[in-house]
Coordinates of all heavy atoms in Angstrom, one line a residue:
M1 N 308.6 84.4 218.7 CA 308.2 83.5 219.9 C 309.5 83.4 220.8 O 310.6 83.2 220.4 CB 307.8 82.2 219.4 CG 307.1 81.3 220.5 SD 307.0 79.6 220.0 CE 305.8 79.8 218.7
K2 N 309.2 83.6 222.1 CA 310.3 83.4 223.1 C 310.7 81.9 223.2 O 309.8 81.0 223.0 CB 309.9 83.9 224.4 CG 309.9 85.4 224.6 CD 309.4 85.9 225.9 CE 307.9 85.7 226.0 NZ 307.4 86.1 227.4
T3 N 311.9 81.6 223.4 CA 312.3 80.2 223.5 C 312.9 79.9 224.8 O 313.7 80.6 225.3 CB 313.3 79.9 222.4 OG1 314.4 80.8 222.4 CG2 312.7 79.9 221.0
G4 N 312.5 78.8 225.4 CA 313.2 78.2 226.5 C 313.3 78.9 227.8 O 314.3 78.7 228.5
Q5 N 312.4 79.7 228.1 CA 312.5 80.4 229.4 C 311.5 79.9 230.4 O 311.9 79.6 231.5 CB 312.3 81.9 229.2 CG 313.5 82.6 228.5 CD 314.9 82.3 229.2 OE1 315.0 82.4 230.4 NE2 315.8 81.8 228.4
Q6 N 310.3 79.9 230.1 CA 309.3 79.4 231.1 C 308.6 78.2 230.7 O 308.6 77.8 229.5 CB 308.3 80.6 231.4 CG 307.2 80.7 230.4 CD 307.1 82.1 229.8 OE1 307.9 82.4 228.9 NE2 306.2 82.9 230.3
E7 N 308.0 77.5 231.7 CA 307.3 76.3 231.4 C 305.9 76.7 230.8 O 305.3 77.6 231.3 CB 307.1 75.5 232.7 CG 306.5 74.1 232.4 CD 306.4 73.4 233.7 OE1 305.8 73.9 234.7 OE2 306.9 72.2 233.8
I8 N 305.6 76.0 229.7 CA 304.2 76.2 229.1 C 303.4 75.0 229.3 O 303.9 73.9 228.8 CB 304.4 76.7 227.7 CG1 305.1 78.1 227.6 CG2 303.0 76.8 227.0 CD1 305.5 78.5 226.3
I9 N 302.3 75.1 229.9 CA 301.4 73.9 230.1 C 300.1 74.2 229.3 O 299.5 75.3 229.4 CB 301.1 73.7 231.6 CG1 302.5 73.4 232.3 CG2 300.1 72.6 231.8 CD1 302.4 73.4 233.8
C10 N 299.6 73.1 228.7 CA 298.3 73.2 228.0 C 297.2 73.5 229.1 O 297.0 72.7 230.0 CB 298.0 72.0 227.2 SG 296.4 72.0 226.5
N11 N 296.4 74.5 228.9 CA 295.4 74.8 229.9 C 294.3 73.8 229.8 O 293.5 73.7 230.8 CB 294.8 76.2 229.6 CG 295.6 77.3 230.1 OD1 296.8 77.5 229.7 ND2 295.1 78.1 231.1
C12 N 294.1 73.1 228.7 CA 293.0 72.2 228.5 C 293.3 70.8 229.1 O 292.5 70.3 229.8 CB 292.7 72.1 227.0 SG 291.2 71.3 226.6
C13 N 294.5 70.3 228.9 CA 294.8 68.9 229.4 C 296.0 68.8 230.3 O 296.3 67.7 230.8 CB 295.0 68.0 228.2 SG 296.6 68.3 227.3
K14 N 296.6 69.9 230.7 CA 297.7 70.0 231.6 C 299.0 69.3 231.1 O 299.9 69.1 231.9 CB 297.3 69.4 233.0 CG 296.4 70.4 233.8 CD 296.0 69.8 235.1 CE 297.0 70.1 236.2 NZ 296.6 69.5 237.5
K15 N 299.0 69.0 229.8 CA 300.3 68.5 229.3 C 301.3 69.6 229.2 O 301.0 70.7 228.9 CB 300.0 68.0 227.8 CG 301.2 67.2 227.2 CD 300.8 66.6 225.9 CE 301.2 67.6 224.8 NZ 300.9 67.1 223.4
V16 N 302.6 69.2 229.5 CA 303.7 70.2 229.4 C 304.0 70.3 228.0 O 304.5 69.4 227.3 CB 304.9 69.7 230.3 CG1 306.0 70.7 230.1 CG2 304.5 69.6 231.7
I17 N 303.8 71.5 227.5 CA 304.2 71.8 226.0 C 305.6 72.1 225.9 O 306.3 71.7 225.0 CB 303.3 72.9 225.5 CG1 301.8 72.5 225.6 CG2 303.6 73.2 224.0 CD1 300.8 73.7 225.4
Q18 N 306.1 72.9 226.9 CA 307.5 73.4 226.8 C 308.1 73.4 228.2 O 307.5 73.9 229.1 CB 307.6 74.8 226.2 CG 309.0 75.2 226.0 CD 309.1 76.6 225.6 OE1 308.5 77.0 224.6 NE2 309.9 77.4 226.3
E19 N 309.2 72.7 228.3 CA 309.9 72.7 229.6 C 310.8 73.9 229.7 O 311.3 74.4 228.7 CB 310.7 71.4 229.8 CG 309.8 70.2 230.0 CD 310.7 68.9 230.0 OE1 311.8 68.9 230.5 OE2 310.2 67.9 229.5
P20 N 311.0 74.3 231.0 CA 311.9 75.5 231.1 C 313.3 75.3 230.6 O 313.8 74.2 230.7 CB 311.9 75.7 232.6 CG 310.9 74.9 233.2 CD 310.6 73.8 232.2
E21 N 313.9 76.3 230.0 CA 315.3 76.3 229.5 C 315.5 75.3 228.4 O 316.6 74.9 228.1 CB 316.3 75.9 230.7 CG 316.1 76.7 232.0 CD 316.3 78.2 231.8 OE1 317.0 78.7 230.9 OE2 315.6 79.0 232.5
K22 N 314.5 74.9 227.8 CA 314.6 74.0 226.6 C 314.0 74.6 225.4 O 313.0 75.4 225.5 CB 314.0 72.7 226.9 CG 314.8 71.8 227.8 CD 314.2 70.4 227.8 CE 315.1 69.5 228.7 NZ 314.4 68.2 229.0
M23 N 314.4 74.2 224.3 CA 313.8 74.6 223.0 C 312.4 74.0 223.0 O 312.1 72.9 223.5 CB 314.6 74.1 221.8 CG 315.9 74.8 221.7 SD 315.8 76.5 221.3 CE 315.3 76.5 219.6
P24 N 311.4 74.8 222.4 CA 310.1 74.2 222.3 C 310.1 73.0 221.4 O 310.7 72.9 220.4 CB 309.3 75.3 221.6 CG 310.2 76.4 221.3 CD 311.5 76.1 221.8
Y25 N 309.5 71.9 221.9 CA 309.5 70.7 221.2 C 308.1 70.4 220.6 O 307.9 69.3 219.9 CB 310.0 69.5 222.0 CG 309.3 69.2 223.3 CD1 308.1 68.6 223.4 CD2 309.9 69.7 224.5 CE1 307.5 68.3 224.7 CE2 309.4 69.5 225.7 CZ 308.2 68.8 225.8 OH 307.6 68.6 227.0
A26 N 307.2 71.2 220.8 CA 305.9 71.1 220.2 C 305.3 72.4 219.9 O 305.5 73.4 220.6 CB 304.9 70.3 221.1
E27 N 304.5 72.5 218.8 CA 303.8 73.7 218.6 C 302.6 73.8 219.4 O 302.0 72.8 219.8 CB 303.4 73.8 217.1 CG 304.6 73.8 216.2 CD 304.4 74.6 215.0 OE1 303.5 75.4 214.9 OE2 305.3 74.6 214.1
F28 N 302.2 75.0 219.7 CA 301.0 75.2 220.5 C 300.3 76.5 220.1 O 300.9 77.3 219.4 CB 301.3 75.2 222.0 CG 302.3 76.3 222.4 CD1 301.8 77.4 223.0 CD2 303.6 76.2 222.2 CE1 302.6 78.5 223.4 CE2 304.5 77.2 222.6 CZ 304.0 78.3 223.2
L29 N 299.2 76.7 220.7 CA 298.4 77.9 220.4 C 298.4 78.8 221.6 O 298.0 78.3 222.7 CB 297.0 77.6 220.0 CG 296.0 78.7 219.7 CD1 296.4 79.4 218.4 CD2 294.6 78.2 219.7
H30 N 298.9 80.0 221.5 CA 298.8 80.9 222.6 C 297.8 82.0 222.3 O 297.8 82.6 221.3 CB 300.2 81.6 222.8 CG 300.2 82.6 223.9 ND1 300.2 82.3 225.3 CD2 300.2 84.0 223.9 CE1 300.1 83.4 226.0 NE2 300.1 84.4 225.2
I31 N 296.9 82.2 223.3 CA 295.8 83.2 223.0 C 295.9 84.2 224.2 O 296.0 83.8 225.3 CB 294.4 82.5 223.0 CG1 294.3 81.7 221.7 CG2 293.3 83.6 223.0 CD1 293.0 81.1 221.4
E32 N 295.9 85.4 223.8 CA 295.9 86.5 224.7 C 294.8 87.4 224.3 O 294.7 87.8 223.1 CB 297.2 87.3 224.5 CG 298.0 87.5 225.8 CD 299.3 88.3 225.5 OE1 300.2 87.6 225.1 OE2 299.3 89.5 225.7
K33 N 293.9 87.7 225.2 CA 292.7 88.6 224.8 C 292.4 89.6 225.9 O 292.3 89.2 227.1 CB 291.5 87.7 224.5 CG 290.2 88.4 224.4 CD 290.1 89.3 223.1 CE 288.8 90.0 223.0 NZ 288.8 91.1 222.0
Q34 N 292.4 90.8 225.5 CA 292.0 91.8 226.5 C 290.6 92.2 226.1 O 290.3 92.7 225.1 CB 292.9 93.1 226.4 CG 292.5 94.1 227.4 CD 293.6 95.1 227.8 OE1 294.7 95.0 227.3 NE2 293.3 96.1 228.6
W35 N 289.7 91.8 227.0 CA 288.3 92.1 226.8 C 287.9 93.5 227.0 O 288.4 94.1 228.0 CB 287.4 91.2 227.7 CG 287.6 89.7 227.4 CD1 288.5 88.8 227.9 CD2 286.9 89.0 226.4 NE1 288.3 87.6 227.3 CE2 287.4 87.6 226.4 CE3 285.9 89.3 225.5 CZ2 286.9 86.7 225.5 CZ3 285.4 88.3 224.6 CH2 285.9 87.0 224.7
G36 N 287.2 94.1 226.2 CA 286.8 95.5 226.3 C 285.6 95.8 227.2 O 285.1 94.9 227.8
Y37 N 285.3 97.0 227.2 CA 284.3 97.5 228.1 C 282.9 96.9 227.9 O 282.2 96.6 228.8 CB 284.2 99.0 228.0 CG 283.1 99.7 228.8 CD1 283.4 99.8 230.2 CD2 281.9 100.1 228.3 CE1 282.4 100.4 231.0 CE2 281.0 100.7 229.1 CZ 281.2 100.8 230.5 OH 280.3 101.4 231.3
F38 N 282.6 96.6 226.6 CA 281.3 96.1 226.3 C 281.2 94.5 226.4 O 280.1 94.0 226.1 CB 280.9 96.5 224.9 CG 280.8 98.0 224.7 CD1 281.8 98.7 224.1 CD2 279.7 98.6 225.3 CE1 281.7 100.1 223.9 CE2 279.6 100.0 225.1 CZ 280.6 100.7 224.5
S39 N 282.2 93.9 226.9 CA 282.2 92.4 226.9 C 281.6 91.9 228.2 O 281.4 90.7 228.2 CB 283.7 91.9 226.8 OG 284.4 92.3 227.9
G40 N 281.5 92.7 229.2 CA 281.1 92.1 230.5 C 282.3 91.7 231.3 O 282.1 91.4 232.5
K41 N 283.4 91.7 230.8 CA 284.6 91.4 231.5 C 285.4 92.6 231.9 O 286.4 92.6 232.6 CB 285.5 90.4 230.7 CG 284.9 89.0 230.6 CD 285.8 88.1 229.8 CE 285.1 86.8 229.5 NZ 283.8 87.0 228.7
D42 N 285.0 93.7 231.3 CA 285.4 95.1 231.7 C 286.9 95.2 231.7 O 287.5 95.5 232.7 CB 284.8 95.4 233.0 CG 284.7 97.0 233.2 OD1 285.0 97.7 232.2 OD2 284.3 97.4 234.3
G43 N 287.6 95.0 230.6 CA 289.0 95.3 230.5 C 289.9 94.2 231.0 O 291.1 94.4 231.1
E44 N 289.3 93.1 231.4 CA 290.2 92.0 231.9 C 291.0 91.3 230.8 O 290.5 91.1 229.7 CB 289.3 91.0 232.6 CG 290.1 89.9 233.3 CD 289.1 88.9 234.0 OE1 288.2 89.3 234.7 OE2 289.3 87.7 233.8
K45 N 292.2 91.1 231.1 CA 293.1 90.4 230.1 C 293.2 88.9 230.5 O 293.4 88.6 231.6 CB 294.5 91.0 230.1 CG 295.4 90.5 229.0 CD 296.8 91.1 229.1 CE 297.8 90.3 228.3 NZ 299.1 90.6 228.7
Q46 N 293.0 88.1 229.5 CA 293.0 86.6 229.7 C 294.0 86.0 228.8 O 294.1 86.4 227.6 CB 291.6 86.0 229.6 CG 290.6 86.5 230.6 CD 289.2 85.9 230.4 OE1 288.9 85.4 229.4 NE2 288.5 85.9 231.5
E47 N 294.7 85.0 229.2 CA 295.7 84.3 228.4 C 295.6 82.8 228.6 O 295.3 82.4 229.8 CB 297.1 84.6 228.7 CG 297.5 86.0 228.8 CD 299.0 86.2 229.1 OE1 299.8 85.5 228.5 OE2 299.3 87.1 229.9
F48 N 295.8 82.0 227.6 CA 295.9 80.6 227.8 C 296.7 79.9 226.6 O 296.9 80.5 225.6 CB 294.6 79.9 228.0 CG 293.6 80.1 226.9 CD1 293.5 79.2 225.8 CD2 292.7 81.1 226.9 CE1 292.6 79.3 224.8 CE2 291.8 81.3 225.9 CZ 291.7 80.4 224.8
D49 N 297.2 78.7 226.9 CA 297.9 78.0 225.9 C 297.2 76.7 225.7 O 296.8 76.0 226.6 CB 299.4 77.7 226.4 CG 300.1 79.0 226.6 OD1 300.3 79.8 225.6 OD2 300.5 79.3 227.8
I50 N 297.2 76.3 224.4 CA 296.5 75.0 224.0 C 297.5 74.2 223.2 O 298.1 74.7 222.2 CB 295.2 75.4 223.2 CG1 294.2 76.2 224.0 CG2 294.6 74.1 222.6 CD1 293.5 75.5 225.1
C51 N 297.6 72.9 223.6 CA 298.5 72.0 222.8 C 297.8 71.7 221.5 O 296.6 71.9 221.3 CB 298.9 70.8 223.6 SG 297.5 69.6 223.8
E52 N 298.6 71.1 220.6 CA 298.0 70.8 219.3 C 296.9 69.8 219.3 O 295.9 69.9 218.6 CB 299.1 70.3 218.3 CG 298.7 70.3 216.9 CD 299.8 69.8 215.9 OE1 300.9 69.5 216.4 OE2 299.5 69.7 214.7
A53 N 297.0 68.8 220.2 CA 295.9 67.8 220.3 C 294.6 68.4 220.7 O 293.6 68.1 220.2 CB 296.4 66.7 221.2
C54 N 294.7 69.3 221.7 CA 293.5 69.9 222.2 C 293.0 70.9 221.2 O 291.8 71.1 221.1 CB 293.8 70.6 223.5 SG 294.1 69.5 224.9
Y55 N 293.9 71.5 220.5 CA 293.5 72.5 219.4 C 292.7 71.7 218.4 O 291.6 72.2 218.0 CB 294.7 73.1 218.8 CG 294.4 73.9 217.6 CD1 294.0 75.2 217.7 CD2 294.5 73.3 216.3 CE1 293.7 76.0 216.5 CE2 294.2 74.1 215.2 CZ 293.8 75.4 215.3 OH 293.6 76.1 214.2
D56 N 293.1 70.6 218.0 CA 292.5 69.8 217.0 C 291.0 69.4 217.4 O 290.1 69.5 216.7 CB 293.2 68.5 216.6 CG 294.5 68.8 215.8 OD1 294.6 69.9 215.2 OD2 295.4 68.0 215.7
Q57 N 290.9 69.0 218.7 CA 289.6 68.6 219.2 C 288.7 69.8 219.3 O 287.5 69.7 219.0 CB 289.8 68.1 220.7 CG 290.1 66.6 220.7 CD 290.2 66.1 222.1 OE1 289.7 66.7 223.1 NE2 290.8 64.9 222.3
W58 N 289.3 70.9 219.7 CA 288.5 72.2 219.8 C 288.0 72.6 218.5 O 286.8 72.9 218.3 CB 289.5 73.2 220.4 CG 288.8 74.6 220.7 CD1 287.5 74.7 221.1 CD2 289.4 75.8 220.6 NE1 287.3 76.1 221.3 CE2 288.4 76.8 221.0 CE3 290.7 76.3 220.4 CZ2 288.7 78.1 221.1 CZ3 291.0 77.6 220.4 CH2 290.0 78.6 220.8
V59 N 288.8 72.7 217.5 CA 288.3 73.2 216.2 C 287.4 72.2 215.5 O 286.5 72.6 214.7 CB 289.5 73.6 215.2 CG1 290.3 74.7 215.8 CG2 290.3 72.4 214.8
E60 N 287.5 70.9 215.9 CA 286.5 69.9 215.3 C 285.1 70.2 215.8 O 284.1 69.8 215.2 CB 286.9 68.5 215.8 CG 287.6 67.8 214.6 CD 288.1 66.4 215.0 OE1 287.3 65.7 215.7 OE2 289.2 66.0 214.7
S61 N 285.0 70.9 217.0 CA 283.7 71.2 217.5 C 283.1 72.4 216.9 O 281.9 72.8 217.2 CB 283.8 71.4 219.0 OG 284.4 72.6 219.4
F62 N 283.8 73.1 216.0 CA 283.3 74.3 215.4 C 282.2 74.0 214.4 O 282.3 73.0 213.7 CB 284.4 75.1 214.6 CG 285.5 75.8 215.5 CD1 285.4 75.7 216.9 CD2 286.5 76.5 214.9 CE1 286.4 76.3 217.6 CE2 287.4 77.1 215.6 CZ 287.4 77.0 217.0
Q63 N 281.2 74.9 214.3 CA 280.1 74.7 213.3 C 280.7 75.0 211.9 O 280.2 74.4 210.9 CB 279.0 75.6 213.6 CG 278.3 75.3 215.0 CD 277.6 73.9 215.0 OE1 276.9 73.6 214.1 NE2 277.9 73.2 216.0
I64 N 281.6 75.9 211.8 CA 282.2 76.3 210.6 C 283.7 75.9 210.7 O 284.4 76.3 211.6 CB 282.1 77.8 210.3 CG1 280.6 78.2 210.2 CG2 282.9 78.2 209.0 CD1 280.4 79.7 210.2
P65 N 284.1 75.0 209.8 CA 285.5 74.6 209.9 C 286.5 75.7 209.7 O 286.2 76.7 209.1 CB 285.7 73.6 208.7 CG 284.4 73.4 208.1 CD 283.4 74.5 208.6
V66 N 287.7 75.5 210.3 CA 288.7 76.6 210.2 C 289.2 76.7 208.7 O 289.1 75.7 208.0 CB 289.9 76.3 211.1 CG1 289.6 76.3 212.6 CG2 290.6 75.0 210.7
K67 N 289.6 77.9 208.4 CA 290.1 78.1 207.1 C 291.5 77.6 207.0 O 292.4 78.1 207.8 CB 290.0 79.6 206.7 CG 290.4 79.9 205.3 CD 290.3 81.4 205.1 CE 290.9 81.8 203.7 NZ 290.9 83.3 203.6
A68 N 291.8 76.7 206.1 CA 293.2 76.2 206.0 C 293.8 76.6 204.7 O 293.2 76.4 203.6 CB 293.1 74.7 206.1
T69 N 295.0 77.1 204.7 CA 295.7 77.5 203.5 C 297.1 76.9 203.6 O 297.7 76.9 204.6 CB 295.8 79.0 203.5 OG1 294.6 79.6 203.7 CG2 296.4 79.5 202.1
E70 N 297.5 76.3 202.5 CA 298.8 75.6 202.5 C 299.9 76.7 202.3 O 299.8 77.5 201.3 CB 298.8 74.6 201.4 CG 299.8 73.5 201.7 CD 299.6 72.3 200.8 OE1 298.5 71.7 200.8 OE2 300.6 71.9 200.1
I71 N 300.8 76.7 203.1 CA 301.9 77.7 203.0 C 303.0 77.1 202.2 O 303.6 76.0 202.6 CB 302.4 78.2 204.4 CG1 301.2 78.9 205.1 CG2 303.6 79.2 204.2 CD1 301.5 79.0 206.6
T72 N 303.4 77.6 201.1 CA 304.4 77.1 200.3 C 305.7 77.8 200.5 O 306.8 77.2 200.3 CB 304.0 77.1 198.8 OG1 303.6 78.4 198.5 CG2 303.0 76.1 198.5
E73 N 305.7 79.0 201.0 CA 306.9 79.8 201.2 C 307.0 80.1 202.7 O 306.2 80.8 203.2 CB 306.9 81.1 200.4 CG 307.5 80.9 199.0 CD 307.4 82.3 198.3 OE1 307.9 83.2 198.8 OE2 306.8 82.3 197.2
Y74 N 308.1 79.6 203.3 CA 308.4 80.0 204.7 C 309.3 81.2 204.7 O 310.3 81.2 204.0 CB 309.0 78.8 205.4 CG 308.0 77.7 205.6 CD1 307.9 76.7 204.7 CD2 307.2 77.7 206.8 CE1 307.1 75.6 204.9 CE2 306.3 76.7 207.0 CZ 306.2 75.6 206.1 OH 305.4 74.6 206.3
V75 N 308.9 82.2 205.5 CA 309.8 83.4 205.6 C 310.9 83.2 206.6 O 310.6 82.7 207.7 CB 308.9 84.6 206.0 CG1 309.8 85.9 206.0 CG2 307.7 84.8 205.0
Ligands
ZN1 ZN1 296.2 69.9 225.6

């Protein structure tokens, strides 16, 4: 992950997740998706960032809960 260069704002609630030139002070979800030919978006690339609070709300709306695994070893 890149650190401290650009401002990162949550696309969902507009909260500043990371201020420029600072170390990230919150974890967030970055999604980058290049949609293929069969998607109807025809090769369009889309990106967004979601803060942890919005992520929690988002996954709570899932019909199938996210798979959670406890990580005991950090690399
Ligand atoms: Zn948010």
